[in-house]
Amino acid sequence: MLEIEIDLRRHCIETAIKRSYNQLLSEYFHSKKGDSASETKLALLQNALTCFDFPSLRAGHKNLAGKSDARIVLADKGECPPGILIDGRPIDMTPHIRKCHHNGIEQIPRSATETRR
């Protein structure tokens, strides 16, 4: 299982994943040859950016909103969507999926299902 540690001491989960993706992509293109490990990590980060409902993650898990010393790990379990572990404990990703191109899962935004009174 591939795991990438995400530092949330200064940024929320979304910004931290974007920054990790951009940094790894820059390193990948500046290297002299392709690196399959980097390609796998880039795919995991891109999958997270595509699938996760970040506002829902931040609202549902205080540690993912940033300024947290918790150990946050993005984990590729071999299925879509990737998982998130907070201090070693996996969180239920079901309510936090926006769109997942790999298996056709798509979460309907709560605002679209709520009726106004």
Side-chain angles (χ1 to χ4, degrees), residues 20-43:
S20 294
Y21 178 83
N22 289 332
Q23 180 180 356
L24 188 58
L25 189 63
S26 178
E27 291 170 4
Y28 177 79
F29 282 120
H30 283 94
S31 69
K32 296 186 192 279
K33 61 178 182 170
D35 175 11
S36 64
S38 292
E39 290 172 3
T40 305
K41 289 179 182 179
L42 283 166

Side-chain angles (χ1 to χ4, degrees), residues 57 60-61 64 77 82-86 89-96:
L57 281 168
H61 301 277
L64 302 181
K77 308 170 292 182
I84 295 177
L85 289 84
I86 301 175
R89 292 178 302 237
I91 64 171
D92 178 16
M93 295 303 295
T94 307
H96 308 298

